[in-house]
Amino acid sequence: MTGFCKKGYCFSGQGEIKFSEECGVFGGISYKYPVAPFIQQGLFMLQHRGQESAGICVGEKNPFIYKNKGLVMEVLSDRVVGKIRGRIGISHVRYSTQGGSDTTHAQPYVVTYLGEKVAVAHNGNVKAAVEMRKNLEKEGEVFITTADTEMILKKIIRELCKAPSKWTFEEVGQVLTENFTGGAWSILFLVPGKIFAFRDPMGYRPLSMCESKDGVFVSSEDTSFQMLENKSVYHIHPGEGVEISRDGFELKRFAAEMSSKKCVFEHIYFARPDSNVFGRNVYSSRVELGRKCALENPVNADIVIPVMDSGFAPALGFSQQSGIPLQMGLMRNRWVGRTFILPEQQMRSTGVRRKLTPIKEVLNDKRVVVIDDSIVRGTTSREIVRLLKESGAKEVHFRSASPKILNTCQWGVDIPTKKELIANKYEDICGIRDFIEADSLAYLSIEGLKEIFQDGWCYSCLLGDCENPENENSCKCSKLYESVC
Ligand code: SF4
């Protein structure tokens, strides 16, 4: 997995950051014990969704809030967690999307409303956020952060100022539906004695719930529930939510399910392979992407190698389909550390070499097919090709298990600007192949991707402007979807 964060080149728990991922939420109620250790473990399993900050809010009447920059186990250390009492709470891991990267933007946010504390944690983005914020400011609202989450909270408070003004699941759900439909929001509220969890009516982001002998929990990904015993897991549908309290839980529909827009990148890159997202196992999806890529883009080669980690499952699929043996030609150095941030473009190549080490004995004199989950700017792919050739590979054939990334995302995933995306820089795919210095280059086609996932998915960042429902501009797409050179 290779890529860049806003500040340069970031290394993190799951791998290098290709896009700024879009945060993770976890919360719940514990029947017998303090909830904080459950939250620590559940949130730790969502670390790949955000490495910038982590935070927790626990308690019924006067909740304890603790948040800071850093990884889950740094912020929510055993020492901190051991001191947190309380059986109900919510938590968040963040990678900056809307808003800055200082501690102020760490979630959950807590406000006092009519003498009661309310906390919120959110994963996703609000549609037309800039305009909505301006309107609220004109009405006299002030904001401490630039994040959408604070705006959602303040908008709800404004609406709840009107009678009957209670923090009920139904009232909050109604405000969300009336004001934020079209955006992506898996969102948790901690109100006195209760958690409300909502998944937006279009279902861009995943949200799951688990009932177990220890309590009831909600999470961005169901892999968070692995620590729990005697459990049943439920994947919350778009427009559905759950109210959790000491009395148990109740699943509720707060909005009609709209034409579904599940983010396909959850399967290509974001989610953990051991998660089941939108009714599919992520690992199986990635193997299938690799198989399809091999069917579409056959190549004569001696070995298939993955760009670890998210390239592993597609490489396995490519190998199974093509019959070319899978080898570990590039080792990933797990101990580079997240603090290693290289700010300048020219320094990124050094980052690749610190992150990935070639095994020359595997590569020497071989025709290599290298599989990555996707290609964003192309600079990392080029460095990988160079590394493989320097290590003795006779030929390097690059395969992307996703189609070209052509557009940015309006729903919380911080994809680089259109002009930074390599797929927009060259008129044809051979230009990209030349840039990355590969002997051949091929992407999975958009048709191939749609055959795997079919309807009800968001493919927006993979579509050219003239096919993109979010862009009205026309464009010259004739060569845009070429997928092999
Ligand atoms: S535009 Fe891309 S990253 Fe954004 S929600 Fe759609 S598929 Fe996901």
Side-chain angles (χ1 to χ4, degrees):
M1 189 186 297
T2 47
F4 312 99
C5 73
K6 273 181 181 170
K7 294 176 202 144
Y9 203 88
C10 280
F11 296 102
S12 62
Q14 200 197 18
E16 299 155 57
I17 298 169
K18 193 165 249 159
F19 314 100
S20 297
E21 301 173 49
E22 74 294 343
C23 308
V25 292
F26 184 89
I29 191 160
S30 158
Y31 293 144
K32 265 204 211 152
Y33 305 106
V35 77
F38 291 102
I39 288 182
Q40 180 203 46
Q41 291 305 312
L43 199 62
F44 178 57
M45 300 299 274
L46 301 179
Q47 185 72 83
H48 58 286
R49 299 185 75 88
Q51 297 87 34
E52 185 174 277
S53 65
I56 186 170
C57 186
V58 170
E60 294 201 11
K61 290 237 158 70
N62 195 17
F64 173 86
I65 174 95
Y66 188 76
K67 53 187 181 175
N68 210 338
K69 289 181 83 166
L71 300 177
V72 173
M73 288 304 182
E74 292 166 355
V75 178
L76 304 182
S77 64
D78 290 348
R79 188 180 58 79
V80 169
V81 165
K83 289 182 185 157
I84 306 175
R85 312 320 295 172
R87 303 257 188 90
I88 186 167
I90 62 173
S91 64
H92 187 268
V93 282
R94 177 168 194 271
Y95 202 96
S96 65
T97 49
Q98 292 299 307
S101 60
D102 55 65
T103 321
T104 321
H105 292 85
Q107 296 188 36
Y109 294 137
V110 184
V111 292
T112 304
Y113 169 73
L114 297 178
E116 289 178 337
K117 287 209 162 112
V118 174
V120 62
H122 162 236
N123 164 25
N125 259 26
V126 168
K127 201 171 183 190
V130 175
E131 202 185 326
M132 193 176 282
R133 176 178 287 263
K134 273 190 194 153
N135 290 338
L136 281 169
E137 282 172 345
K138 278 184 202 153
E139 290 169 20
E141 193 61 81
V142 287
F143 292 95
I144 296 166
T145 72
T146 50
D148 287 358
T149 315
E150 187 188 5
M151 191 174 62
I152 293 174
L153 188 57
K154 295 203 166 158
K155 181 72 182 169
I156 290 173
I157 288 171
R158 284 190 161 246
E159 294 301 317
L160 294 188
C161 284
K162 303 164 195 167
S165 70
K166 291 197 183 95
W167 282 87
T168 63
F169 179 95
E170 287 72 18
E171 273 204 272
V172 175
Q174 189 178 341
V175 179
L176 287 172
T177 311
E178 286 172 359
N179 296 278
F180 299 107
T181 296
W185 31 272
S186 282
I187 186 162
L188 308 185
F189 293 90
L190 178 65
V191 302
K194 288 179 180 173
I195 289 172
F196 303 151
F198 298 92
R199 184 166 170 223
D200 81 70
M202 297 177 93
Y204 282 101
R205 300 280 154 240
L207 189 65
S208 297
M209 193 205 86
C210 176
E211 187 191 18
S212 74
K213 76 172 181 46
D214 293 308
V216 181
F217 300 93
V218 278
S219 177
S220 293
E221 290 182 37
D222 65 0
T223 188
S224 293
F225 306 139
Q226 293 199 25
M227 62 188 168
L228 301 167
E229 292 173 8
N230 298 339
K231 57 181 178 268
S232 56
V233 174
Y234 176 79
H235 297 281
I236 295 171
H237 292 122
E240 203 177 49
V242 60
E243 179 174 333
I244 303 169
S245 70
R246 279 174 189 257
D247 300 329
F249 71 93
E250 198 178 344
L251 279 161
K252 298 179 181 183
R253 174 155 291 287
F254 65 93
E257 186 167 342
M258 300 172 71
S259 166
S260 177
K261 290 277 185 187
K262 298 167 281 193
C263 171
V264 78
F265 258 95
E266 290 283 351
H267 278 263
I268 293 171
Y269 173 76
F270 298 140
R272 278 177 56 118
D274 52 356
S275 287
N276 294 287
V277 170
F278 308 136
R280 300 177 65 113
N281 174 254
V282 173
Y283 175 80
S284 308
S285 292
R286 289 184 188 162
V287 171
E288 219 176 319
L289 290 168
R291 281 182 167 276
K292 182 68 95 180
C293 190
L295 270 173
E296 290 183 348
N297 305 298
V299 58
N300 285 324
D302 303 311
I303 54 172
V304 175
I305 65 164
V307 178
M308 297 295 282
D309 283 334
S310 53
F312 175 77
L316 180 65
F318 196 101
S319 168
Q320 288 170 347
Q321 184 64 45
S322 62
I324 304 169
L326 181 70
Q327 292 270 11
M328 192 64 72
L330 288 170
M331 280 294 295
R332 184 172 157 249
N333 180 3
R334 293 176 185 280
W335 316 116
V336 172
R338 68 178 290 280
T339 51
F340 179 59
I341 296 173
L342 299 174
E344 302 297 336
Q345 175 75 31
Q346 65 268 28
M347 294 176 76
R348 287 177 181 154
S349 61
T350 319
V352 172
R353 286 162 193 264
R354 284 186 65 164
K355 184 73 179 177
L356 298 169
T357 311
I359 302 178
K360 292 187 178 174
E361 289 70 15
V362 172
L363 300 165
N364 194 36
D365 213 27
K366 296 287 192 318
R367 295 170 300 166
V368 175
V369 194
V370 59
I371 315 283
D372 205 351
D373 55 83
S374 53
I375 302 172
V376 183
R377 290 180 170 96
T379 42
T380 304
S381 311
R382 180 176 61 186
E383 202 54 37
I384 288 168
V385 174
R386 286 179 180 170
L387 194 58
L388 295 171
K389 290 201 168 174
E390 283 166 22
S391 306
K394 204 160 57 178
E395 292 172 17
V396 178
H397 303 274
F398 209 101
R399 296 291 180 267
S400 164
S402 80
K404 287 181 190 166
I405 301 170
L406 295 163
N407 258 300
T408 52
C409 171
Q410 300 181 36
W411 297 283
V413 178
D414 194 14
I415 295 175
T417 61
K418 277 179 73 172
K419 66 175 195 255
E420 290 174 277
L421 295 169
I422 188 78
N424 292 326
K425 280 191 178 166
Y426 291 92
E427 281 218 337
D428 62 23
I429 190 170
C430 296
I432 306 173
R433 183 208 59 189
D434 292 346
F435 176 81
I436 68 168
E437 299 173 9
D439 292 282
S440 78
L441 167 66
Y443 292 82
L444 176 68
S445 70
I446 186 77
E447 295 81 17
L449 184 76
K450 287 181 177 177
E451 271 171 38
I452 294 173
F453 290 97
Q454 305 200 343
D455 294 334
W457 295 77
C458 176
Y459 300 105
S460 198
C461 54
L462 306 170
L463 301 176
D465 283 348
C466 58
E467 261 197 72
N468 202 319
E470 302 308 321
N471 283 298
E472 284 163 10
N473 303 333
S474 63
C475 67
K476 294 171 192 162
C477 286
S478 57
K479 297 208 165 191
L480 223 47
Y481 298 115
E482 278 182 346
S483 62
V484 62
C485 178

